[in-house]
Structure formats: structure tokens, C-alpha cells
């Protein structure tokens, strides 16, 4: 069901470059005067979305290289048409779902979300997409299912970063079923009303705005419903640093750096850091999912 | 051919090394302020300074083996290379302090709590006495203990290489190669010295 969640961030259709530079002052003001509103979570006044250039030229997509600029350089090799997503496991209607058929059935809406990387930087991104729940409903989730596993395309001849064993390819991710069915959980197919560029995870990717960015798996080719917690790539690579949940949490540091604050990308050389919000500011919406859980243990 | 190269190098002055080392960071800063370093200029500056510092450190360590095994004499540039290494790593720290972390409480927390930062800081601190004694007066005054003191650079190099290795995510070759080159250059020093035979 579309439109279950209403955008809390503002958005100008076309925002001139100068505005992005002014964000610096906005953010600086926020750090002081905004603390009270921040406690309120998602209602906090947030800066406008980053520019198309920022969002599409600064990417972590190790399938195309480990540098932030590698994906925009190499992702053009990726063939995204035809594309299909295999939905299998504990579903009533397993099978290969063509991307075109999915798009024909889904209602696309805009979601302006904060995006917080585990590396302690952040952006604001105007996604277009549909709720993951709608896609899961299309396949019919069976009653015993508890988790959703995701898989990125493995095609080293096009995804040249996959020739190096930086991670155990293909990239895999997972969510608990209730997280996957949450109205905030999006399958993004566009940015700024345009088809999502390859370097951002074309043709469709997951977006879970209250979790660190690496949970939001890109270029998805498989979705599997299961009753067991699925393995996830960064957890396999370093379980002490990257947990299954990986909710944005300023109180639980990454072993190698603090998560209490974040660098705002696109603010220029002198941009001020801003405090990181619990659940990336989406606490009011998602807190109930983790009631009674020790978030230091389930990081 | 090496002799010809050595002759050319003897005529080449040292001051351009200092000039480039002074101008390059200023140029980086100018680019950063004018949006020419992409959307994340802080990280670009931080990484560029750290990486160039590590490369200069390696170049400095390569001078003795190059002379010993190739006959190439770069000795007159070694002091400049060492001082430039310290300068780049000092600026690397400044960018991290002022532009990246910014928050004083977090800086101390990071230095004490995060092993890769602890190692990096240790490396920089150990370079301070080396930089401070990189002048003719100190060499004369310290005599043979100058050589012993400056062996600290071996430890500094290892700390620098490990610092890089520890900060990347996932399995990446670049820091492994840097550390391997550092260990290789140090290993060459363990090889027994060739005696000159007087027969």
C-alpha cells in the first residue's frame, strides 16, 4: 500500500547549486538551536536533499571498486535491462519477477530520507520507489517466514570490483520480516524523479533509512523469505564491527570510530559535523520494532 | 648508467623538494575551498596527505638499499625527504583534527580508544625528535647516538603501514602492498653487509 508514510523533509523540485552551499549555515545553526527539535526525532528540521551530483558521484558500491568515485566511473558497464528479481523461499508465488512487470504493478512515490553511512557521513536523498511490503505481498509471504534475505547481482565481467575478494561475493543482506514490512522500508527505483543511476544500485535497491547504509543493498536480483536469520556480507567479513541489525545508534560506537556525530557530505571543506540521531531520526516510527531488545548486544 | 645518474643528481639542488612540499598542501587547500576536490574534500585532503607521507617515508627508507644494491646515491636528499614526510603527516593530523573530527572530546577519545589512531599518533610523536634533530648542528652534537636515534624511523614506518592497513574496510590490497614494501625495505637491512676484500 503506497503513501502509508508522509515525508517529513522538505524538497524543492530544482534546487540551485548555491542552496547546497548554504546548507553549511543551516547545519551549523541546527547543531545549536536544533538540539531540542532533534530529540523529537524525525520531526527535526533537516536540510534539503543533496544535489543530484553529490548523490550520484559519492558512492560506496564495492562491486565497482572501493573508492567513493569508482562506482560513477565504472558502473556504466552494468546491464540493467533485462532485469528480473527471483522471489523464493517461503512465499506462495515463487518465481522470477521481471523488473518491468514489477514496475507496472507498483505505485511509485517520493520519499525524502536521511541516509547515514556506517563510515559516519550522511546525506539527504529524495528517493522514488515503492514499499517493499507491496512487493512481498505480490509474492505472498507464508506464515512461517521470519526473515527476508537479499542478494545483489554477481557479474564480475561488468561489476569489475567483484574480481577482487574485498568481500565474499555476491553481496547479501537481510532484514527481520517486521522490519522488511515496515512502511519506511523502500525499494528505490529512482532519485529526483529519474531512473536510479547504476552507481546508486540500478534498477532497484533496498532503502532502510534507520539503518546504516550498507544494509540498503543495491541492484537486487533475489529476495528469499526464510525462517532463519540470513547471513549478511559485512557481518561475515567482520562480525565484531557490523551486526545483523546495524541500526543507526549514536550510543554504540563502531570499534574503529565514534558514531556519535557525522560529517555532512556536500557541505564543503569547512562543513560542521552534526550529531547523529537515534535510528537516524526515525525513532518514533521504528522504536516499537526493538522493544525490550538490548541494542548494545544486537548492534 | 648509474654513474651518469649520480653525476646528474649531484648537480641537482635540494631546495625544490622543500618548495614543492610547501606549495602542494596549499594547492590542495585552495582546491578544497573552491570545490575542486569533489563532494567530500575533507577525506580527499586527509587521504592525500597521509598517502603522500607514507610514500615519502618509503622513499626515505629506500635510499640506503638503493645505494647498497644499485649504487644509486640519493643521500643528499634524505634529510629533505625525511622532513617532508614529517610535514605531510603533521598536516594529515591537522586536517583530521580541525576539518574531520572537530570535537575536542571526541579527538581524545579517538586517540586513546581506537587502535589505528593510537598507532598513527604514536608514529607521528616518534617523528618529532627525528625532525627536530634533522640539522647539521644536531648531527655534530649527538655524534654516534644520532644514528641510533634515527633508527626510530624503522618503527615509525611499521606504525604508518599498520595504521593504513587497519583503517580500510574489507580485504584490500593497497595497504597490504604498502606494508609489504616497508617490511621488505627493512628486511634488506638485515642482510649481512658485503665485505670489501683487500686482496
Amino acid at each position: 500500500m503506497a503513501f502509508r508514510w508522509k515525508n517529513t523533509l522538505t524538497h524543492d523540485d530544482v534546487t540551485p547549486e548555491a542552496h547546497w552551499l548554504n546548507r553549511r549555515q543551516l547545519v551549523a545553526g541546527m547543531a545549536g538551536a536544533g538540539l531540542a527539535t532533534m530529540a523529537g526525532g524525525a520531526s527535526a528540521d533537516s536540510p534539503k536533499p543533496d544535489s543530484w551530483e553529490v548523490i550520484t558521484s559519492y558512492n560506496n558500491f564495492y562491486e565497482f571498486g572501493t573508492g567513493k568515485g569508482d562506482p560513477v566511473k565504472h558502473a556504466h558497464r552494468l546491464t540493467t535491462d533485462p532485469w528480473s528479481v527471483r522471489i523464493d523461499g517461503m512465499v506462495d508465488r515463487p518465481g522470477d519477477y521481471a523488473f518491468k512487470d514489477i514496475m507496472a504493478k507498483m505505485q511509485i512515490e517520493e520519499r525524502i530520507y536521511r541516509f547515514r553511512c556506517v563510515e559516519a557521513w550522511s546525506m539527504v536523498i529524495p528517493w522514488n520507489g515503492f514499499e517493499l511490503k507491496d512487493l512481498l505481498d505480490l509474492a505472498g509471504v507464508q506464515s512461517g517466514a521470519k526473515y527476508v534475505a537479499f542478494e545483489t547481482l554477481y557479474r564480475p565481467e561488468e561489476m569489475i570490483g567483484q574480481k577482487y575478494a574485498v568481500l565474499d561475493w555476491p553481496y547479501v543482506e537481510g532484514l527481520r520480516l517486521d522490519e522488511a514490512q515496515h512502511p519506511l522500508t523502500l525499494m528505490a527505483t529512482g532519485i529526483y524523479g529519474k531512473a536510479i543511476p547504476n552507481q546508486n544500485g540500478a534498477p532497484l535497491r533496498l532503502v532502510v533509512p534507520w539503518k546504516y547504509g550498507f544494509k540498503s543493498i543495491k541492484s537486487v536480483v533475489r529476495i528469499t523469505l526464510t525462517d532463519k536469520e540470513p547471513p549478511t556480507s559485512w557481518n561475515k567479513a567482520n562480525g565484531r564491527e557490523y551486526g545483523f541489525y546495524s541500526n543507526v545508534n549514536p550510543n554504540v560506537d563502531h570499534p574503529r570510530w565514534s558514531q556519535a556525530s557525522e560529517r555532512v557530505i556536500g557541505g564543503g571543506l569547512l562543513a560542521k559535523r552534526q550529531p547523529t540521531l537515534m535510528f537516524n531520526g526515525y525513532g518514533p516510527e521504528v522504536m516499537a520494532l526493538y522493544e525490550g531488545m538490548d541494542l548494545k548486544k544486537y548492534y | 648508467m648509474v654513474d651518469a645518474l649520480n653525476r646528474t643528481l649531484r648537480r641537482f639542488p635540494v631546495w625544490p623538494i622543500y618548495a614543492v612540499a610547501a606549495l602542494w598542501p596549499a594547492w590542495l587547500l585552495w582546491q578544497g575551498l573552491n570545490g575542486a576536490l569533489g563532494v567530500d574534500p575533507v577525506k580527499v585532503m586527509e587521504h592525500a596527505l597521509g598517502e603522500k607521507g607514507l610514500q615519502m617515508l618509503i622513499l626515505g627508507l629506500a635510499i640506503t638499499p638503493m645505494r647498497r644494491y644499485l649504487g644509486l646515491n640519493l643521500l643528499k636528499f634524505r634529510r629533505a625527504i625525511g622532513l617532508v614526510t614529517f610535514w605531510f603527516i603533521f598536516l594529515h593530523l591537522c586536517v583530521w583534527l580541525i576539518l574531520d573530527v572537530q570535537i575536542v572530546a571526541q579527538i581524545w577519545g579517538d586517540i586513546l580508544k581506537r587502535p589505528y589512531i593510537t598507532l598513527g599518533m604514536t608514529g607521528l610523536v616518534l617523528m618529532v625528535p627525528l625532525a627536530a634533530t634533522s640539522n647539521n648542528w644536531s648531527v655534530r652534537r649527538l655524534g654516534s647516538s644520532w644514528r641510533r636515534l634515527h633508527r626510530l624511523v624503522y618503527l615509525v614506518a611499521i606504525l604508518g603501514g599498520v595504521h593504513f592497513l587497519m583503517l580500510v574496510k574489507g580485504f584490500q590490497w593497497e595497504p597490504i602492498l604498502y606494508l609489504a614494501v616497508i617490511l621488505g625495505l627493512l628486511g634488506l637491512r638485515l642482510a649481512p653487509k658485503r665485505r670489501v676484500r683487500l686482496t
Side-chain angles (χ1 to χ4, degrees), chain A residues 67-134:
Chain A
K68 298 283 185 292
D70 288 339
V72 69
K73 252 183 282 172
H74 303 302
H76 64 89
R77 296 161 182 257
L78 178 65
T79 313
T80 57
D81 186 18
W83 192 277
S84 66
V85 181
R86 171 162 296 175
I87 306 181
D88 59 4
M90 303 171 79
V91 288
D92 296 330
R93 292 171 289 281
D96 292 319
Y97 289 75
F99 178 65
K100 285 199 180 90
D101 297 341
I102 294 173
M103 289 300 271
K105 292 200 175 83
M106 294 292 127
Q107 189 165 9
I108 302 299
E109 58 181 303
E110 182 180 61
R111 294 285 179 93
I112 306 171
Y113 284 160
R114 278 179 289 275
F115 183 94
R116 170 63 157 78
C117 179
V118 73
E119 296 166 348
W121 53 264
S122 70
M123 289 182 183
V124 176
I125 304 176
W127 303 104
N128 311 95
F130 53 87
E131 286 182 20
L132 173 61
K133 184 181 189 302
D134 294 341

Side-chain angles (χ1 to χ4, degrees), chain B:
Chain B
M1 202 199 84
V2 173
D3 286 342
L5 200 56
N6 280 337
R7 273 198 299 278
T8 318
L9 285 168
R10 251 203 306 278
R11 281 199 301 271
F12 195 82
V14 176
W15 66 262
I17 296 179
Y18 292 112
V20 171
L23 291 174
W24 176 67
W27 184 60
L28 260 187
L29 181 65
W30 186 85
Q31 288 184 99
L33 288 170
N34 290 283
L37 294 182
V39 300
D40 192 10
V42 178
K43 280 289 152 185
V44 172
M45 280 188 73
E46 200 172 281
H47 288 171
L49 287 163
E51 194 177 37
K52 282 283 174 296
L54 202 54
Q55 287 166 0
M56 294 302 280
L57 193 57
I58 286 170
L59 185 60
L61 283 179
I63 287 174
T64 296
M66 281 200 291
R67 194 163 71 129
R68 198 165 143 195
Y69 296 103
L70 306 174
L72 186 65
N73 190 355
L74 291 165
L75 215 52
K76 77 178 238 198
F77 301 105
R78 189 163 67 177
R79 175 181 294 169
I81 288 166
L83 284 169
V84 168
T85 302
F86 177 72
W87 168 239
F88 285 171
I89 298 301
F90 171 72
L91 291 177
H92 172 67
L93 172 77
C94 291
V95 171
W96 180 73
L97 289 179
I98 299 163
L99 299 176
D100 187 348
V101 183
Q102 299 173 7
I103 303 153
V104 178
Q106 198 174 316
I107 290 170
W108 273 113
D110 276 353
I111 291 174
L112 298 174
K113 273 201 313 206
R114 326 256 171 230
Y116 84 94
I117 293 173
T118 316
L119 291 187
M121 266 317 285
T122 309
L124 177 62
V125 169
L126 291 179
M127 270 196 279
V128 172
L130 304 187
T133 56
S134 286
N135 52 71
N136 291 337
W137 183 77
S138 295
V139 176
R140 271 198 305 275
R141 225 196 111 108
L142 291 171
S144 64
S145 48
W146 187 92
R147 284 179 73 100
R148 251 180 297 143
L149 175 67
H150 278 250
R151 288 204 187 113
L152 265 181
V153 77
Y154 303 155
L155 180 58
V156 170
I158 292 172
L159 289 171
V162 174
H163 167 75
F164 186 19
L165 185 69
M166 285 176 77
L167 67 87
V168 297
K169 279 167 61 199
F171 179 85
Q172 297 189 32
W173 277 109
E174 200 187 357
I176 294 174
L177 290 177
Y178 272 94
L179 190 59
V181 169
I182 289 167
L183 293 176
L185 288 170
L186 296 183
L188 285 176
R189 289 165 160 80
L190 295 174
K193 287 203 168 110
R194 274 180 302 185
R195 297 263 163 89
V196 181
R197 286 192 193 175
L198 303 166
T199 46

